[in-house]
């Protein structure tokens, strides 16, 4: 488990031998959360040219069976060594390579140029 947020839980996994982050909606996710996940997919598709450089690649999306229920899910490439929750949250940013951290500082500007405003605060 990598973390959790308003829309669900993010797990660490492998896809075709590559580390991925799998965002899975909570079982009780309401229609608004499901719309937000769909919107996130649309934004990733809109930002296709930035994937892999400024933002993680969206590898797949759809429904994933978890505990006998189908839940909306997104599979993204995992950036840096975010292999699990064994690391305290305050130590996690330092686990990313310096080049990734520097690029992250410039990413909001590139998103704005593409007409997208990042909503995390």
């Amino acid at each position: 488990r990598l973390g959790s947020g308003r829309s669900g839980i993010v797990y660490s996994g492998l896809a075709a031998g590559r580390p991925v982050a799998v965002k899975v909606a909570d079982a009780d996710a309401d229609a608004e959360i499901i719309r937000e996940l769909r919107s996130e997919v649309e934004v990733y598709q809109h930002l296709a040219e930035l994937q892999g450089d400024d933002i993680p690649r969206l590898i797949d999306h759809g429904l994933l069976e978890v505990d006998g229920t189908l839940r909306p899910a997104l599979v993204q490439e995992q950036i840096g060594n975010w292999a699990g929750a064994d690391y305290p949250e305050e130590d996690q940013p330092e686990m990313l390579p310096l080049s990734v951290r520097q690029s992250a500082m410039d990413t909001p500007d590139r998103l704005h140029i593409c007409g997208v405003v990042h909503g995390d605060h």
Side-chain angles (χ1 to χ4, degrees), residues 19-40:
V20 294
V22 183
K23 182 187 286 188
V24 181
D26 288 330
D28 61 351
D30 61 18
E32 181 180 348
I33 295 294
I34 293 169
R35 274 193 304 276
E36 287 176 9
L37 289 172
R38 284 186 189 137
S39 176
E40 186 171 348

Side-chain angles (χ1 to χ4, degrees), residues 24-29 63-73:
V24 181
D26 288 330
D28 61 351
L63 296 175
L64 181 66
E65 186 175 344
V66 179
D67 297 329
T69 62
L70 292 176
R71 301 185 196 175

Side-chain angles (χ1 to χ4, degrees), residues 14 19 21 27 30 37 41 43 54 60-61 78 85 96 105:
L14 290 173
D30 61 18
L37 289 172
V41 169
V43 169
D54 296 303
D60 203 356
H61 62 91
Q78 199 176 98
L96 293 172
M105 299 299 289

Side-chain angles (χ1 to χ4, degrees), residues 1-99:
R1 180 176 165 159
L2 294 174
S4 61
R6 194 170 92 77
S7 61
I9 298 173
V10 181
Y11 297 96
S12 178
L14 290 173
R18 297 184 345 212
V20 294
V22 183
K23 182 187 286 188
V24 181
D26 288 330
D28 61 351
D30 61 18
E32 181 180 348
I33 295 294
I34 293 169
R35 274 193 304 276
E36 287 176 9
L37 289 172
R38 284 186 189 137
S39 176
E40 186 171 348
V41 169
E42 290 172 6
V43 169
Y44 265 98
Q45 291 168 338
H46 178 74
L47 297 174
E49 66 187 48
L50 299 181
Q51 289 186 37
D53 295 320
D54 296 303
I55 60 174
R57 283 183 180 85
L58 178 64
I59 296 170
D60 203 356
H61 62 91
L63 296 175
L64 181 66
E65 186 175 344
V66 179
D67 297 329
T69 62
L70 292 176
R71 301 185 196 175
L74 300 149
V75 180
Q76 302 161 305
E77 73 177 339
Q78 199 176 98
I79 306 279
N81 183 20
W82 296 76
D86 296 331
Y87 300 98
E89 187 173 323
E90 61 272 8
D91 293 341
Q92 291 180 354
E94 283 69 33
M95 294 174 359
L96 293 172
L98 178 60
S99 62

